[in-house]
C-alpha cells in the first residue's frame, strides 16, 4: 500500500491544522464571488456591504460544492473557472442573491475548503484520531502501517500480526482495518477490513458488503443562524460519549477479524481463476470500463501483471494494488486498493465474460 505518513506525522499535521481552521454559519445571500488577479475569491458581506471577514480563496472541493448547490453544471463551472472567471462570478452571484439558506462554511488558513448544509455534523480528524489511538495502542500485535491526509480525507491503516495466513505457500497476508473520515462532506466515517500482502506490501480495502464495515454519515441537528453571519464552534465528539463509545467498540470488533477466514478463501479462489484471454490490453480495457480504471492506469496495471507473471484473477488484482503504490494521490491509491478487492471477488460469470470478449478473433 502507499506509504503515506506515520501516525506521529499525521497527529502533528492535524494539530497544526487545528490552529488555522475556522467555521462559520452564513446566509447564502450574504456571500459574493469576485475576481482578484484573475482568480475567484469569496466575500461574506454584512447588511451595509462591508466584509464580515477576510476574503477567501476557494479550493477545488469548495468550488465543486458551490457549483452543486447552485445547480451549475460541473463542466460549465469548470470551463468558466479556467477561461472566464468573471463570467463564473456573475453566474454565482446571480444565483446566490436568490437563495436564503444557511450554509456551513469551513475554512483553513484563509481558504474556503467546504460549503455544507447547516445539518452537517462536524467530526474532525484530530478528534477521531484521539478516539482511535488508545484502542489501537492497547491491542497486542496491532500496528499502524500507513496514514494519509488529503484535501478531502484522513486515512489510518493498521494491521494485526496475530491474524496472518498464506494464500499459497510463501504468500502471507495479514488482516487489518482502514479508518476513513472527511471533514468536508466528501464521505462518511468508515471502518473497513484491510488485507495486507507481506510479499510486496500491497493493500486491499475490503468493501462493506461483507457486513464487517462500519459507517456513520455526517448528519446532525439543524444549526440555527442568528442574523446573516456568525462564527461556529463545533461541540466536538468529546461531548457525545455515546458516539465515542460506539466507535471504539466497533474498532475493537473490526480488528478481531471475524471474517478473515472468509476473506482468505476468496483470495485462494481467485488464484484458481486463470486468465484465458489472449488480448490482455482488451481485457484491461473491458475490466477498466466496469471497475473504474482509467486508460493510463490500465497500461500501468498491465505492466505490473506481466512483471509478476501471475496470470490469474489474483495476479490481476494484485497488479492493481501494486500500481496503487505508484500514484501520487493517496485518495486515488486507496480507491485502487478497493478496486483490487472488488475485481478479485467479481462473480465467476462476470470473469468468464471478460475472458470471452478478450479472446482472439480467430477463436470467436
Amino acid at each position: 500500500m502507499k506509504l503515506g505518513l506515520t501516525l506521529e506525522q499525521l497527529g502533528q499535521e492535524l494539530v497544526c491544522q487545528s490552529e488555522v481552521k475556522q467555521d462559520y454559519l452564513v446566509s447564502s445571500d450574504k456571500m459574493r464571488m469576485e475576481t482578484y488577479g484573475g482568480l475567484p475569491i469569496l466575500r461574506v458581506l454584512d447588511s451595509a456591504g462591508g466584509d464580515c471577514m477576510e476574503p477567501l480563496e476557494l479550493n477545488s472541493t469548495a468550488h465543486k460544492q458551490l457549483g452543486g448547490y447552485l445547480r451549475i453544471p460541473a463542466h460549465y463551472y469548470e470551463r468558466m473557472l479556467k477561461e472566464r472567471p468573471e463570467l463564473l462570478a456573475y453566474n454565482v452571484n446571480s444565483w446566490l442573491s436568490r437563495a436564503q439558506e444557511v450554509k456551513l462554511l469551513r475554512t483553513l488558513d484563509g481558504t474556503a475548503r467546504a460549503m455544507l448544509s447547516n445539518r452537517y455534523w462536524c467530526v474532525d480528524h484530530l478528534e477521531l484520531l484521539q478516539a482511535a489511538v488508545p484502542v489501537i495502542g492497547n491491542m497486542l500485535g496491532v500496528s499502524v502501517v500507513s496514514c494519509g491526509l488529503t484535501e478531502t480525507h484522513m486515512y489510518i491503516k493498521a494491521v494485526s500480526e496475530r491474524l496472518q495466513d498464506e494464500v499459497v505457500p510463501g504468500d502471507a497476508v495479514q488482516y487489518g482495518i482502514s479508518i476513513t473520515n472527511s471533514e468536508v462532506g466528501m464521505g462518511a466515517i468508515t471502518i473497513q477490513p484491510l488485507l495486507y500482502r507481506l510479499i510486496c506490501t500491497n493493500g486491499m480495502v475490503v468493501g462493506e458488503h461483507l457486513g464487517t464495515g462500519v459507517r456513520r454519515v455526517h448528519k446532525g441537528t439543524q444549526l440555527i443562524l442568528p442574523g446573516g453571519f456568525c462564527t461556529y464552534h463545533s461541540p466536538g465528539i468529546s461531548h457525545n460519549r455515546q458516539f465515542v463509545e460506539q466507535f471504539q467498540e466497533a474498532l475493537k470488533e473490526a480488528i478481531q477479524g471475524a471474517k478473515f477466514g472468509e476473506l482468505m478463501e476468496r483470495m485462494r479462489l481467485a488464484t484458481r481463476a486463470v486468465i484465458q484471454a489472449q488480448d490482455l490490453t482488451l481485457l484491461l480495457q473491458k475490466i477498466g470500463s466496469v471497475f473504474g480504471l482509467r486508460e493510463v492506469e490500465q497500461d500501468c496495471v498491465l505492466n505490473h501483471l506481466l512483471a509478476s507473471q501471475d496470470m490469474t484473477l489474483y495476479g490481476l488484482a494484485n497488479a492493481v494494488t501494486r500500481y496503487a503504490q505508484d500514484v501520487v494521490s493517496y485518495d486515488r491509491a486507496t480507491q485502487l486498493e478497493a478496486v483490487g478487492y472488488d475485481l478479485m471477488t467479481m462473480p465467476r460469470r462476470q470473469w468468464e465474460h471478460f475472458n470471452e470478449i478478450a479472446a482472439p478473433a480467430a477463436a470467436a
Side-chain angles (χ1 to χ4, degrees):
M1 71 180 65
K2 193 167 183 64
L3 185 59
L5 305 171
T6 66
L7 188 63
E8 292 74 17
Q9 289 170 333
L10 175 64
Q12 292 168 1
E13 181 61 28
L14 291 177
V15 169
C16 292
Q17 286 191 3
S18 68
E19 297 172 354
V20 290
K21 290 194 303 187
Q22 187 59 66
D23 298 333
Y24 304 94
L25 290 176
V26 183
S27 178
S28 53
D29 63 329
K30 299 300 182 183
M31 291 186 286
R32 181 175 178 83
M33 179 179 284
E34 295 183 1
T35 57
Y36 181 78
L39 296 175
I41 60 170
L42 187 68
R43 297 177 63 194
V44 179
L45 307 178
D46 58 25
S47 56
D51 289 299
C52 295
M53 54 189 290
E54 288 294 321
L56 301 166
E57 296 181 7
L58 296 91
N59 69 12
S60 60
T61 302
H63 274 299
K64 289 176 183 177
Q65 291 171 341
L66 178 60
Y69 168 58
L70 299 178
R71 299 181 183 178
I72 301 174
H75 289 299
Y76 184 49
Y77 190 104
E78 285 295 321
R79 184 179 181 185
M80 289 189 291
L81 179 60
K82 293 177 181 178
E83 301 178 15
R84 294 285 304 278
E86 71 284 353
L87 180 60
L88 173 63
Y90 174 82
N91 276 274
V92 166
N93 293 333
S94 295
W95 293 113
L96 282 175
S97 64
R98 291 168 170 79
Q100 290 186 336
E101 296 182 13
V102 178
K103 307 298 291 183
L104 175 62
L105 182 62
R106 309 207 79 182
T107 72
L108 175 67
D109 200 19
T111 298
R113 61 186 183 125
M115 189 174 296
L116 302 163
S117 161
N118 65 331
R119 289 186 176 273
Y120 187 80
W121 179 46
C122 298
V123 177
D124 285 351
H125 300 328
L126 184 58
E127 294 183 293
L128 205 64
L129 176 66
Q130 290 169 338
V133 165
V135 177
I136 295 173
N138 288 332
M139 303 197 77
L140 187 63
V142 176
S143 59
V144 174
V145 292
S146 180
C147 297
L149 184 62
T150 70
E151 181 180 296
T152 57
H153 290 88
M154 175 188 73
Y155 305 89
I156 305 170
K157 298 173 183 176
V159 298
S160 172
E161 63 181 25
R162 304 179 69 188
L163 291 172
Q164 180 173 315
D165 201 354
E166 291 186 331
V167 180
V168 296
D171 189 355
V173 172
Q174 289 181 345
Y175 175 85
I177 55 169
S178 174
I179 304 168
T180 309
N181 183 47
S182 176
E183 295 183 338
V184 294
M186 300 300 289
I189 303 165
T190 63
I191 304 172
Q192 294 172 281
L194 178 74
L195 297 170
Y196 186 59
R197 191 180 183 212
L198 298 182
I199 195 171
C200 57
T201 66
N202 286 358
M204 280 188 180
V205 176
V206 177
E208 297 178 46
H209 56 276
L210 287 177
T212 55
V214 174
R215 188 172 186 273
R216 174 68 157 83
V217 298
H218 290 265
K219 185 176 182 180
T221 58
Q222 183 174 350
L223 304 174
I224 305 301
L225 173 62
F229 169 84
C230 74
T231 302
Y232 173 68
H233 298 286
S234 169
I237 62 173
S238 59
H239 295 274
N240 189 340
R241 292 306 307 169
Q242 182 180 7
F243 168 75
V244 173
E245 291 172 2
Q246 289 175 345
F247 172 75
Q248 291 179 330
E249 284 302 313
L251 200 54
K252 292 175 185 177
E253 182 178 351
I255 202 65
Q256 296 301 321
K259 295 286 186 178
F260 185 42
E262 180 179 343
L263 296 173
M264 290 300 301
E265 285 306 310
R266 287 173 176 251
M267 299 182 85
R268 292 178 183 127
L269 184 63
T271 66
R272 300 191 290 272
V274 178
I275 296 176
Q276 297 174 338
Q278 298 299 309
D279 190 339
L280 295 179
T281 299
L282 180 58
L283 178 66
L284 264 297
Q285 288 175 354
K286 297 301 182 181
I287 287 177
S289 66
V290 174
F291 289 90
L293 284 175
R294 302 158 187 163
E295 185 174 348
V296 66
E297 294 175 335
Q298 295 167 20
D299 294 337
C300 295
V301 169
L302 179 56
N303 289 336
H304 283 300
L305 175 64
L306 294 173
S308 73
Q309 298 184 339
D310 182 356
M311 295 300 159
T312 65
L313 180 56
Y314 180 67
L316 180 56
N318 279 305
V320 174
T321 55
R322 171 59 188 85
Y323 169 64
Q325 299 184 44
D326 300 337
V327 300
V328 175
S329 166
Y330 201 99
D331 287 318
R332 185 56 182 161
T334 301
Q335 291 167 3
L336 288 167
E337 290 168 3
V339 168
Y341 178 81
D342 290 342
L343 191 155
M344 184 185 70
T345 56
M346 74 172 76
R348 178 180 175 180
R349 182 174 297 180
Q350 186 180 24
W351 173 241
E352 292 174 348
H353 173 68
F354 283 131
N355 271 299
E356 289 174 1
I357 61 178

